[in-house]
Amino acid sequence: MGGIVWELDPRFAPADGESTARPGPRLGTLTTTPWDHPGPVGVPTPMALTYTRRGEPAHLTPDNVDLLPREARTFHVSLAHFMDHLGPDHVGNMPGGGRRYFGCRPTCMLVTARDPLTFDQDAKQSNTDAHTFVASPTGTTKITTDDYARWIEAIQPDAFVALADESPSWRDGVALKKTKQASARTEKWLARLLEKTKESPTRPSVFASLQGGADVRERRACAEGIVERHGTQLAGFAIGSVGAGETPGEHRQSLLRASIEPTPWDKPRYVAGLGAPLDVLDALESGVDLVESSFCHQCTTQGYALTFPVKPPPTTNGAGGLKKRKRCDGKDGNERHERVAEDEERVAEDGEEEDANRRLLTGGDAFKSNMWALAYRADKRPLLPGCKCYTCERYMRAYVHHLLQCHEMTAAVLLDIHNYFHFNKFMEATREAIGAGTFAEFAAFHRERAARMDGDDET
């Protein structure tokens, strides 16, 4: 092992004579050297790190993970899940090293103190220069930089996000003095952890946490200071304190841009707490490279299956126009192909509308269907028609509904396989759109579809 290496696709690098890359979504490759692999493993970005509980996907065994796309072996690991019950020696003393503690054999592990699902800035006690409090599934836990460094040494991740004093990002009720104090404390802890881990035999890469709360100027100042004083020692940057109650839309986008713009173009950016599809699109538009997929775990635990289309229908091209068709004589059949495309589009819209009405009546929405609903008790279709995942190719909605009603744990396994598979296909579609230069149309399709199906015309 030896940390991570990230390379930006040359198409998105700065032009000759320019010092910064153009803003917006971009492509890259993240490379690691797993302990159980003969050579380096590269995965494309943007991608979603698989959400884990104590270092493993909550409902999946190693053979289940084998059924997912290879990007699903990049894990997000929250230290808070370990600290409630175990000490670092429990993991670190594993024969062969702490990395062997994890049975699913991740190709990349990014360790953070934050759990995207249980993170609550209102629930924790006040931080001091000596420690912070992190939320876990069982409460809050105090952690110091020494504790954090010991856990990093025990778990042997490829990379970790430095400990941070997360400052709230909602607009009202947070004093700027407190926000500045949190930024200064975060940088101080970063310096300590860089010093403590620089001699580590596993040489994990370090991501700095960029704070600044809801103040755009403070966010920019925090990022500029960390880049200036520690930039050469860092492998990437984590945009902190978002996805925790701030207003989506322009407010959130301004916070992301303020943190990202001062960072070097040749290093990856990661954000936690923005795992839902529309939030992911917002993050990628701002230049984020790594997100996490806690949204999939949340859907699974609530009995939802992801059922949204990963890309626009084939009757339109990337710019929203009609897909070209050829007549049998080789000439463009404009009238014919327009008529056929219109018919196909109308059929697709009718089916989508029917399915949308059913989802809304059964507790679903534009992105997911509620498999607990009695409407699915005799439904012989797969969770998502056309999906190539293990679950959809072998089981029907009625069976998953039956398992949920019986409180059978296999329901969570089948839903998790499908949800992670589908979400990774969504991320693959985002990369295709970015590469083709059609990401704006891709994002507009998903936003417009969500607004139409959820009945929110203002979105």
Side-chain angles (χ1 to χ4, degrees):
M1 292 183 298
I4 65 170
V5 176
W6 184 81
E7 294 182 352
L8 180 66
D9 187 308
R11 292 174 291 174
F12 300 87
D16 293 340
E18 296 182 359
S19 59
T20 59
R22 65 179 185 270
R26 59 193 196 156
L27 300 177
T29 302
L30 185 73
T31 304
T32 63
T33 306
W35 60 267
D36 61 345
H37 202 275
V41 175
V43 289
T45 63
M47 69 172 178
L49 306 173
T50 298
Y51 176 81
T52 64
R53 301 294 287 268
R54 296 193 197 170
E56 308 277 6
H59 305 294
L60 303 181
T61 57
D63 58 320
N64 298 148
V65 178
D66 290 340
L67 302 171
L68 301 176
R70 64 190 179 97
E71 303 94 272
R73 287 195 179 277
T74 56
F75 285 4
H76 171 280
V77 178
S78 172
L79 284 185
H81 297 167
F82 294 89
M83 297 178 65
D84 281 345
H85 305 281
L86 307 171
D89 290 344
H90 177 87
V91 178
N93 290 340
M94 183 76 179
R99 186 64 173 254
R100 293 181 179 269
Y101 181 87
F102 304 98
C104 284
R105 307 179 305 281
T107 56
C108 179
M109 290 174 56
L110 177 67
V111 164
T112 75
R114 172 179 174 177
D115 180 338
L117 294 182
T118 61
F119 182 70
D120 185 352
Q121 292 171 317
D122 279 338
K124 65 183 183 181
Q125 305 172 50
S126 297
N127 298 330
T128 70
D129 287 344
H131 64 255
T132 185
F133 288 88
V134 295
S136 73
T138 58
T140 57
T141 303
K142 183 172 75 174
I143 183 172
T144 67
T145 53
D146 289 338
D147 296 331
Y148 201 63
R150 282 194 292 270
W151 273 106
I152 296 299
E153 185 70 24
I155 289 179
Q156 301 178 336
D158 299 281
F160 69 91
V161 177
L163 198 62
D165 184 358
E166 304 266 2
S167 179
S169 293
W170 47 83
R171 294 178 178 177
D172 302 321
V174 181
L176 181 58
K177 179 180 178 180
K178 182 177 181 180
T179 299
K180 288 179 176 291
Q181 184 182 52
S183 298
R185 187 175 288 154
T186 295
E187 184 175 348
K188 183 184 299 184
W189 291 343
L190 169 64
R192 289 180 188 171
L193 286 167
L194 286 169
E195 182 66 26
K196 288 178 180 294
T197 58
K198 68 179 182 179
E199 302 297 333
S200 171
T202 58
R203 302 185 301 279
S205 297
V206 183
F207 280 57
S209 181
L210 306 179
Q211 298 297 319
D215 190 275
V216 171
R217 286 177 294 182
E218 177 58 23
R219 277 193 173 269
R220 186 177 294 276
C222 177
E224 290 173 346
I226 286 177
V227 169
E228 178 183 356
R229 290 182 283 273
H230 308 285
T232 58
Q233 300 172 271
L234 300 171
F237 299 89
I239 294 83
S241 299
V242 293
E246 77 281 357
T247 305
E250 180 54 34
H251 173 57
R252 177 187 287 166
Q253 292 278 27
S254 67
L255 301 182
L256 291 172
R257 288 194 299 267
S259 291
I260 288 174
E261 287 173 358
T263 63
W265 59 266
D266 59 348
K267 294 185 179 181
R269 301 105 176 214
Y270 159 75
V271 66
L274 301 183
L278 295 185
D279 291 338
V280 168
L281 295 176
D282 287 344
L284 300 191
E285 280 182 336
S286 300
V288 170
D289 305 293
L290 304 172
V291 295
E292 43 76 24
S293 56
S294 57
F295 177 72
C296 298
H297 174 79
Q298 195 171 30
C299 288
T300 294
T301 57
Q302 295 173 358
Y304 287 105
L306 298 181
T307 49
F308 66 97
V310 297
K311 60 179 68 174
T315 54
T316 59
N317 62 28
L322 290 168
K323 185 178 179 180
K324 290 290 184 183
R325 295 174 185 264
K326 295 284 187 179
R327 287 174 52 173
C328 59
D329 60 4
K331 298 179 181 179
D332 285 334
N334 290 330
E335 292 184 5
R336 179 177 180 276
H337 94 254
E338 287 180 5
R339 186 166 59 253
V340 172
E342 289 172 358
D343 290 344
E344 290 180 352
E345 190 171 2
R346 185 169 59 254
V347 170
E349 288 177 351
D350 290 345
E352 176 109 313
E353 183 178 355
E354 179 183 359
D355 198 38
N357 291 336
R358 190 176 199 183
R359 285 188 221 175
L360 294 175
L361 290 172
T362 56
D365 59 27
F367 295 99
K368 57 187 184 291
S369 299
N370 180 13
M371 290 296 110
W372 280 96
L374 292 178
Y376 299 113
R377 62 185 174 184
D379 195 330
K380 296 184 178 181
R381 293 177 295 171
L383 296 179
L384 179 62
C387 177
K388 302 299 182 183
C389 78
Y390 175 87
T391 302
C392 287
E393 289 192 330
R394 290 167 176 80
Y395 301 98
M396 61 183 71
R397 297 179 180 185
Y399 180 61
V400 175
H401 168 81
H402 161 74
L403 293 175
L404 286 169
Q405 294 289 345
C406 294
H407 300 281
E408 168 58 56
M409 67 177 65
T410 308
V413 175
L414 295 180
L415 283 172
D416 234 17
I417 291 173
H418 167 74
N419 287 341
Y420 279 116
F421 183 95
H422 188 66
F423 203 80
N424 276 280
K425 288 299 180 182
F426 170 65
M427 296 304 298
E428 180 182 324
T430 66
R431 295 191 293 269
E432 292 176 357
I434 294 170
T438 59
F439 184 80
E441 293 82 3
F442 176 88
F445 162 75
H446 284 286
R447 289 172 178 143
E448 291 168 3
R449 176 181 174 276
R452 183 178 70 252
M453 295 182 67
D454 291 343
D456 181 5
D457 295 333
E458 298 178 358
T459 300

